């Protein structure tokens, strides 16, 4: 996961928003030896980050990571000074709307990102420098994305132990609708229906109910913003789940079980630093695991 | 959880089927000082139970616990000698069909039961004497159930650290459809739909997908038997979930979140040893926590 032969000095990183994700990222980058500046409107979050070795300041350069909730992204840089050549990325759970907003503002300097981690906890008290270890981190490669900037963002993800999934914003949003946003709606529906069934049902609830509803323990404002911010892909993915529920139960159970028990072996390969090749890797379920000089080391389902 | 003033010598317990549930129960009862006989058609399961202090034998008396899969319940006692006054119970995940089968055969001597625990693992290698600690254990009180026998079964559950939920078979089946059987179908539909969405979606899958699909890792034959064995209540509960999914997302998310974050304080009370009072307790989300002389100590949502 480390960079064997950096082709240049790793750029500084600036993290705006030092809650669970941003605070964890800043702390993890400090631990990885990177120079990190952080900012948060909450003094307590700034103090917590400073205690982990983050330089607190308003002058941002290198890779600027916007780690605020999506509704706050547009105003996240107010009052802050961003270097003209900085690369801008974010950690938002939906990518097309963020691309529309920040891509229009920063052009090819904006590279959307989304680490697939986080817990029901939030805020700077939930900071964990190990949060990203082993996580998949989607990094968006649009037609207008400058590839060297994409690589700088990918290297930030690799530096904290994540692996990188190259995607377009549209591909990302359809995928996370299926594997993240719809699960939140299913969890809510399962919990609400069980409550309607009465106290006896909730009194008997055990492991399968706990697993099936866990994610709706998250802040409802956050969940609602997430699903409504990705409304069309989420509606399509929800329709796909409902169609599955129309199948005969034995076939449905077999199909679902087969997905969970599919082989997980992966093979390693080298992929050139080329947009089409990288996106093909992501579409095939692959990940960029390491940056090499003129290509990346990647892995794919075998 | 212990019996403060046993009104009589605790009866012996016989466990037929020494897989995960039966093997764990037999081992837990041995650890609690009870006299336990066990039987399984698999010699390896018998040997594993014997190593935990279970007497292996074919002569069963006291409380006879049928811990086989539901399709094997009808033939579980073939070749075994059951005392005429034995109380028969089972651990099956659906109760009305088992009541129809075993109630017809054993009359008031049969008391259906269902401990709300177990994991995706199965077989005697998954035995854990602590499996039942803190679990809810539904024990069925039908109009024809002999209350002293119901108490004997309840005391077996209490002896291994579970709390008892008094229910009718029909109430149980409706409740577990909502909190256990439907979650298995939702997990299958979520997994199958994500697989249809392609390798990128599965490649990005993280915590919410893992939680939402976990239970479909169980043996599909077991899951199919479970949902098909409780078909009408499961279909009704699934329709209730689908109706929830028709709600506007903000309201749905709020409602689901409220269920997961509802207050969990409970109050303790004494409930007479009376069928109507015990069933009212179960319907209110209460549990029998301890057997006292002429009543039980119970708890309810506050």
């Amino acid at each position: 996961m480390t960079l064997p032969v950096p082709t240049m000095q790793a750029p500084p990183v600036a993290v705006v928003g030092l809650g669970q994700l941003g605070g964890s990222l800043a702390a993890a980058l400090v631990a990885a030896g990177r120079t990190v500046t952080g900012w948060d409107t909450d003094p307590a979050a700034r103090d917590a980050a400073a205690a982990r070795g983050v330089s607190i300041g308003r002058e941002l350069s290198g890779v600027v990571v916007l780690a605020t909730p999506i509704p706050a992204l547009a105003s996240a840089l107010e009052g802050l000074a961003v270097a003209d050549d900085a690369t801008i990325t974010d950690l938002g759970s939906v990518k097309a709307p963020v691309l529309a907003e920040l891509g229009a503002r920063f052009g090819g300097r904006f590279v959307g990102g989304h680490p697939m981690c986080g817990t029901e906890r939030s805020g700077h008290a939930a900071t964990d420098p190990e949060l990203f270890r082993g996580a998949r981190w989607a990094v968006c490669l649009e037609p207008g994305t400058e590839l060297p900037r994409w690589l700088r963002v990918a290297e930030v993800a690799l530096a904290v132990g994540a692996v990188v999934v190259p995607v377009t914003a549209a591909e990302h949003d359809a995928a996370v609708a299926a594997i993240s946003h719809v699960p939140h709606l299913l969890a809510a529906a399962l919990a609400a229906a069980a409550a309607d069934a009465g106290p006896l049902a909730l009194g008997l609830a055990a492991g399968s109910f706990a697993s099936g509803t866990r994610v709706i323990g998250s802040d409802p404002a956050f969940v609602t913003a997430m699903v409504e911010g990705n409304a069309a892909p989420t509606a399509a993915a929800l329709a796909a789940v409902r169609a599955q529920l129309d199948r005969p139960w034995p076939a449905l159970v077999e199909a679902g079980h087969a997905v969970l028990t599919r082989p997980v072996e992966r093979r390693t390969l080298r992929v050139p630093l080329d947009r089409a090749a990288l996106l093909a890797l992501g579409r095939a379920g692959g990940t960029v695991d390491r940056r090499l000089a003129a290509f990346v080391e990647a892995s794919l389902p075998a």
Side-chain angles (χ1 to χ4, degrees), chain A residues 4-70:
Chain A
V5 188
T7 50
M8 64 183 78
Q9 185 73 29
V13 181
V15 180
V16 180
L18 297 167
Q20 188 194 28
L21 280 178
S24 296
L25 178 61
L29 287 166
V30 167
R34 298 285 287 257
T35 301
V36 185
T37 301
W39 184 256
D40 196 293
T41 53
D42 176 5
R46 296 199 298 265
D47 291 348
R52 290 182 180 271
V54 177
S55 301
I56 302 302
R58 297 168 185 258
E59 303 203 346
L60 318 178
S61 63
V63 176
V64 176
V65 183
L66 304 184
T68 67
I70 289 177

Side-chain angles (χ1 to χ4, degrees), chain A residues 127-151:
Chain A
T127 293
D128 173 10
E130 294 295 308
L131 186 63
F132 304 97
R133 181 132 343 253
R136 308 285 168 104
W137 191 317
V139 182
C140 292
L141 251 179
E142 310 304 331
T145 306
E146 296 175 24
L147 195 57
R149 295 186 186 275
W150 185 88
L151 276 169

Side-chain angles (χ1 to χ4, degrees), chain A residues 164-167 171 276-287 300:
Chain A
V164 171
V165 179
V167 286
E171 287 173 342
L278 288 167
L279 288 177
L281 175 74
R283 279 177 208 126
T287 55
L300 260 180

Side-chain angles (χ1 to χ4, degrees), chain A residues 175-186:
Chain A
V176 297
I179 55 90
S180 172
H181 301 177
V182 160
H184 283 79
L185 295 175
L186 294 180

